[in-house]
Amino acid sequence: MDVSVSPGDAVRRQLCVRPGTVVALELRPRLDDKRWTGVLSSVPALVPASDWRVDPDGTAHATLRCAGTRGGTARVTAAAKAPDVAGAPRTAFTLDVRVVPYAREG
C-alpha cells in the first residue's frame, strides 16, 4: 500500500490495514524552508518504521511494516526542520495506523 503526502494535504490522516501490510510512505518536498528529518512510530513493536531516506529533490521515503499477527493502533509522525535553525525538529505530519486482525471465527 502506498501513502503519498504532498504540500497542502491534511497534516493528519488515518489508515486502517490488516496485519502484515507493508505501507510505503512518501513525503513530497515541502514548500517552506523545512526539510523532512525522520519518521517515528509510537508503537514500534506493532508498526516499525524503517528504510528512511531523502532523495536529492527533497522527497522522503519510509517503509512501515505492520505486525503479522496482532492488532492495535500506532501513531506514526514525520518531523521537519529548517536546516539552518537550531533546535529539535517538529512534527509536520501524523499518520494514525490501525491494524485490524482477521476474524478468528466465521
Side-chain angles (χ1 to χ4, degrees):
M1 169 176 284
D2 296 329
V3 175
S4 182
V5 179
S6 297
D9 288 354
V11 296
R12 179 178 222 121
R13 287 195 197 168
Q14 295 183 3
L15 183 65
C16 185
V17 296
R18 294 292 187 185
T21 301
V22 176
V23 178
L25 180 62
E26 178 186 59
L27 304 164
R28 302 295 303 157
R30 297 175 54 89
L31 298 177
D32 56 12
D33 65 338
K34 296 181 180 177
R35 306 291 181 256
W36 297 110
T37 59
V39 174
L40 182 65
S41 174
S42 65
V43 186
L46 180 66
V47 183
S50 62
D51 302 331
W52 172 258
R53 76 176 195 280
V54 179
D55 294 341
D57 70 350
T59 302
H61 304 271
T63 303
L64 310 173
R65 301 178 194 283
C66 301
T69 56
R70 56 182 255 195
T73 59
R75 179 168 289 157
V76 178
T77 56
K81 177 182 172 309
D84 58 347
V85 177
R90 294 185 183 247
T91 299
F93 175 74
T94 302
L95 182 65
D96 293 316
V97 181
R98 183 172 177 214
V99 181
V100 180
Y102 292 98
R104 296 187 187 271
E105 298 178 17

